[in-house]
Amino acid sequence: MLRRRFLSTTAVATAWGALPAFANPPKPYSWDLAPPTASGDAFVAWMQENRGEDPRFLRERWARFEVMVDNRDLVDDGNKRAFLLTPREDFVLKQNQDRAYEHAFLDIGFGVTISGPHLVGRMTSALDVTRENKVLEIGTGSGYQSAYLANLTDKVWTIEIVPQLAERTRRIYDGLIAAGYSEYQAITTKSADGYYGWEEAAPFDKIIVTCGVDHIPPPLLLQLKAGGIMVIPIGPPGAQHVLKVTKEPAADGTFRIARSDIYNGKIVPFVPFTKLEGDRIAGVHGL
């Protein structure tokens, strides 16, 4: 697993507070684990028995789950399971833990936010990830998106441009793995400019981009397999449309790029797709 270190763990902890208090799941992870969805009480009881998590956060997760299902942000059993098994409270800043399941973007430092649960659910559902898929995420951020993906496939690569944030999030993954969340061993991380993808690990079945840009980055299209899907926010700063982009092979060996808007034209603002000049973050791609 590729892991790049940038700051001492002490420096990161001092700047951003200690890591969350992870649960210690009493039962090992398996792909057969499936929380019940008949009632909130059944879900909370099952999660306490199998995952050892805090019932307060579990109740909040269930309440958000019900709203997301009603809103069709979660439309299939795989994504419902992934949402219910992912402890979002472990990926927000300590001071925001009580807001972890709000329908809101939350600050995670370094000019970056964690997307609201509805958006994560809608984008990941549109990606249509299956267990055999190899998935690339551009914009690791808090780590929540890749953690969610790790409950859909055991092949997840993720890139973060801010080295300090990449370091902090890697520590969260490692802390969760040590606590018994073995599913996060599926996540391979690095800090780099995500515009250029991860050529040495390509091709990918699915690509998800969590920052806004005014065009589809050509390197990402090249690294997407034939028949693959990319979900990406496209548009001017603060006014993106979230597109599902499908790379469809043609009979002559070329490809047709099909686009659809997963929010039917609704504008969704994202943080900008920043770029590197040398070792320095300078400006944004596409402007």
Side-chain angles (χ1 to χ4, degrees):
M1 182 177 289
L2 180 56
R3 301 175 182 174
R4 298 191 177 185
R5 303 295 184 185
F6 297 92
L7 295 181
S8 71
T9 55
T10 301
V12 175
T14 299
W16 296 104
L19 289 175
F22 303 123
N24 290 287
K27 296 185 181 179
Y29 183 82
S30 78
W31 290 97
D32 295 327
L33 281 177
T37 58
S39 73
D41 288 343
F43 167 70
V44 171
W46 187 95
M47 288 293 289
Q48 287 185 276
E49 179 183 353
N50 289 271
R51 307 299 280 165
E53 294 180 12
D54 185 333
R56 176 171 65 99
F57 290 120
L58 291 172
R59 291 187 189 98
E60 292 176 2
R61 194 182 310 167
W62 176 262
R64 182 54 57 192
F65 169 78
E66 289 189 303
V67 177
M68 291 173 67
V69 170
D70 287 345
N71 200 49
R72 298 194 60 76
D73 297 310
L74 298 170
V75 295
D76 60 81
D77 289 343
N79 277 278
K80 291 174 183 177
R81 173 185 178 275
F83 177 81
L84 289 174
L85 284 176
T86 308
R88 184 175 169 89
E89 63 273 15
D90 287 332
F91 295 95
V92 300
L93 295 181
K94 186 176 181 180
Q95 61 266 32
N96 285 329
Q97 278 196 316
D98 288 342
R99 302 184 62 200
Y101 292 97
E102 287 185 8
H103 179 32
F105 289 78
L106 298 175
D107 174 48
I108 57 170
F110 308 104
V112 183
T113 59
I114 177 174
S115 296
H118 286 256
L119 182 58
V120 174
R122 178 72 64 101
M123 290 179 70
T124 314
S125 292
L127 204 61
D128 193 23
V129 177
T130 57
R131 187 173 169 187
E132 68 273 11
N133 284 169
K134 185 176 179 181
V135 182
L136 174 65
E137 178 196 19
I138 305 301
T140 310
S142 69
Y144 176 67
Q145 174 70 76
S146 281
Y148 182 124
L149 286 166
N151 282 296
L152 292 168
T153 176
D154 60 1
K155 295 173 280 290
V156 181
W157 279 256
T158 182
I159 303 173
E160 173 55 51
I161 197 171
V162 180
Q164 299 95 325
L165 183 55
E167 162 68 7
R168 188 181 79 198
T169 301
R170 184 68 253 175
R171 289 182 62 232
I172 292 173
Y173 290 145
D174 291 343
L176 283 160
I177 292 166
Y181 289 82
S182 60
E183 60 268 37
Y184 301 140
Q185 293 173 347
I187 303 169
T188 303
T189 63
K190 73 172 180 177
S191 184
D193 188 333
Y195 186 90
Y196 304 102
W198 200 322
E199 187 174 5
E200 59 270 34
F204 298 95
D205 299 286
K206 308 289 169 63
I207 297 176
I208 186 166
V209 181
T210 61
C211 42
V213 66
D214 62 2
H215 63 284
I216 301 171
L220 297 184
L221 272 179
L222 287 173
Q223 292 173 31
L224 186 64
K225 285 184 181 179
I229 296 171
M230 183 189 311
V231 174
I232 180 171
I234 297 290
Q240 288 85 23
H241 295 273
V242 186
L243 302 185
K244 176 180 178 179
V245 177
T246 305
K247 185 176 179 179
E248 301 175 348
D252 62 0
T254 61
F255 296 96
R256 173 179 174 268
I257 305 304
R259 300 170 176 83
S260 59
D261 189 324
I262 71 170
Y263 277 106
N264 299 313
K266 178 183 176 182
I267 290 175
V268 183
F270 280 78
V271 295
F273 200 137
T274 52
K275 64 180 178 180
L276 287 177
E277 291 185 1
D279 292 329
R280 185 173 64 91
I281 298 173
V284 297
H285 285 286
L287 297 174

